[in-house]
Amino acid sequence: MNIVMTGADWLSLFVHYLALSLLSVGGAITTAPDMHRYLVDERHWLTDPQFSASVAIAQSAPGPNVLFVALMGWNVGLNAGGYAMAFFGTMVTMVGIMLPSTTLTYMAARWGHANRELRGVRAFKQGMSPIVIALLVATGWILATGGSYARENWPLWLLTIVTAIVVWRTRLHLLWMLGAGALLGWFGWV
Amino acid sequence: MMSTTEPSAPTETRNQPKSLSDLFISFTLLALQGFGGVLAVVQRELVEKKKWMTREEFVEEWAVAQIMPGPNVINLALMIGDRYFGVRGAVVAVAGMMCAPSVLILILALLYGQFADNTHVAGALRGMGAVAAGLITATGLKLMGAIRKHPLGIPACIVLGIASFVGIALLRWPLAWVLLGLGGISCVLTYRALGAREAA
């Protein structure tokens, strides 16, 4: 896939990630649906498989899951031409997703700690919880369906459902699940 | 006066990072162990092995890390680094969490670029993607226990949760609408419920 990224496009990508950073309550992954809407559906800077691969590689590699954002920037840059652009794209998305949230957290953590008995603080903490939980489930849903509901994908959906239940109910190491998924996919069973 | 040698209660011993480089290396090693998420590793390493925080401190800080925007484990690293070395500690802890894993993941992405056309590799990635979707769903399911004692009550939480899910997953509303709209409503209702509970 080849795309053209103007300076204004890069700026708009950066600003979008700055905004998502402030909205990423519950972790960067909860903004993944919006990234999909923006990058794939609206701007056509990434293909759907590139989007899914970015998340899958970041999930299967060690490190914070937020690195899927680095891969999205990487892929946008790659689509726009070459490894230098890819590196630039990584910087744009990562600085964008990190800067506002870390600055805010740094300041708020101190304030929140000092005022943790206030009703407003507790209302925010507890009021957001059902929304954050729903966002995580919605993210899983969107990753599993990839924006389409093709019926022949049922083995993949089954794998997602089984994984969710196993991880939810047991303490099996996540690596076993990822390995199993890779093997099933390698042999073309899902 | 209590003597300093004999604590009155069996408090957990608490160590602390020796230096900024100790902080950096500790978080790098920790991040490199965290396949599919770092949180479980953070708890085991920092609380149980290194004893930089007590379990109570961990839970408290985790709550804040979770409600603040941004990657939760990054927020947690930031807060821990800040606790010991101020702003320099915060920067070093986050850098430790990010540097080595970023390099590793870009190498993986490069390798993937070479083999993306291979049906086996594409299949393996597809399979891992389905598992990753399941892992994230499971995180949401695990957290559902957190609403058991919610001031709004379980039914109201379920309604708010389902509305958020439908808005995001099915109707594909922009995230800001859901967070500001439904999240705002939820916070206001919770504030009032907490007030009523205090008045009672």
Side-chain angles (χ1 to χ4, degrees):
Chain A
M1 180 179 179
N2 285 308
I3 57 169
V4 177
M5 293 288 287
T6 63
D9 285 336
W10 283 117
L11 186 65
S12 126
L13 179 68
F14 183 60
V15 170
H16 194 83
Y17 273 81
L18 285 177
L20 283 185
S21 177
L22 291 175
L23 294 171
S24 60
V25 177
I29 197 72
T30 57
T31 62
D34 200 73
M35 291 179 197
H36 188 278
R37 185 186 64 79
Y38 180 74
L39 296 174
V40 180
D41 298 338
E42 201 177 301
R43 297 299 188 119
H44 307 292
W45 288 337
L46 280 186
T47 64
D48 203 52
Q50 283 179 321
F51 186 91
S52 303
S54 300
V55 178
I57 293 173
Q59 289 283 329
S60 53
N65 293 339
V66 67
L67 290 175
F68 75 90
V69 170
L71 288 181
M72 284 178 191
W74 176 267
N75 283 318
V76 169
L78 216 50
N79 289 341
Y83 291 133
M85 286 298 245
F87 191 74
F88 179 68
T90 304
M91 288 293 137
V92 168
T93 52
M94 278 313 278
V95 173
I97 202 74
M98 296 284 293
L99 197 58
S101 66
T102 48
T103 308
L104 193 66
T105 299
Y106 183 79
M107 295 187 299
R110 295 183 156 198
W111 185 88
H113 190 72
N115 296 282
R116 61 190 179 284
E117 299 303 328
L118 284 184
R119 174 156 49 127
V121 173
R122 285 184 294 142
F124 176 69
K125 278 188 192 179
Q126 299 180 22
M128 281 320 244
S129 59
I131 315 290
V132 168
I133 293 166
L135 284 177
L136 287 165
V137 179
T139 303
W141 175 277
I142 285 179
L143 289 175
T145 59
S148 66
Y149 301 98
R151 199 169 297 160
E152 66 266 23
N153 284 339
W154 70 266
L156 277 178
W157 296 356
L158 186 64
L159 178 57
T160 300
I161 292 166
V162 169
T163 304
I165 293 171
V166 168
V167 174
W168 181 27
R169 306 307 308 187
T170 73
R171 308 206 56 82
L172 187 68
H173 202 288
L174 306 181
L175 270 183
W176 291 112
M177 297 305 302
L178 285 162
L183 276 180
L184 287 171
W186 179 275
F187 292 111
W189 292 331
V190 293
Chain B
M1 282 300 253
M2 288 291 295
S3 104
T4 50
T5 49
E6 199 77 32
S8 54
T11 48
E12 296 178 60
T13 52
R14 182 139 59 85
N15 306 326
Q16 55 174 20
K18 291 179 208 63
S19 60
L20 284 173
S21 40
D22 183 22
L23 194 68
F24 182 84
I25 292 165
S26 297
F27 274 103
T28 299
L29 293 177
L30 200 146
L32 288 176
Q33 288 176 61
F35 288 87
V38 189
L39 179 67
V41 186
V42 174
Q43 202 274 340
R44 204 178 57 214
E45 286 288 311
L46 296 192
V47 179
E48 293 170 20
K49 287 194 184 159
K50 289 186 185 291
K51 298 187 193 296
W52 285 358
M53 321 166 75
T54 65
R55 204 176 306 144
E56 289 71 24
E57 283 168 337
F58 181 82
V59 172
E60 208 165 280
E61 310 252 315
W62 175 240
V64 179
Q66 216 173 9
I67 56 159
M68 291 312 295
N72 296 336
V73 284
I74 299 293
N75 285 348
L76 191 65
L78 180 93
M79 287 154 59
I80 295 168
D82 176 48
R83 183 65 45 89
Y84 293 112
F85 297 106
V87 71
R88 284 185 311 156
V91 171
V92 164
V94 172
M97 214 51 152
M98 307 284 294
C99 288
S102 318
V103 173
L104 194 66
I105 210 163
L106 288 182
I107 292 171
L108 282 176
L110 280 173
L111 286 175
Y112 173 71
Q114 307 294 312
F115 296 105
D117 296 333
N118 181 307
T119 33
H120 291 305
V121 173
L125 252 295
R126 196 171 57 241
M128 290 200 296
V131 170
L135 294 184
I136 293 166
T137 309
T139 312
L141 295 175
K142 279 181 181 174
L143 287 174
M144 276 184 189
I147 62 167
R148 212 171 289 152
K149 289 177 183 163
H150 200 280
L152 293 180
I154 293 174
C157 287
I158 290 174
V159 170
L160 282 163
I162 289 176
S164 308
F165 177 83
V166 169
I168 291 286
L170 305 181
L171 304 175
R172 303 293 164 101
W173 288 343
L175 181 66
W177 294 14
V178 175
L179 277 184
L180 297 177
L182 291 169
I185 291 168
S186 180
C187 287
V188 170
L189 291 177
T190 306
Y191 184 81
R192 290 176 50 182
L194 286 171
R197 190 183 277 183
E198 273 158 23

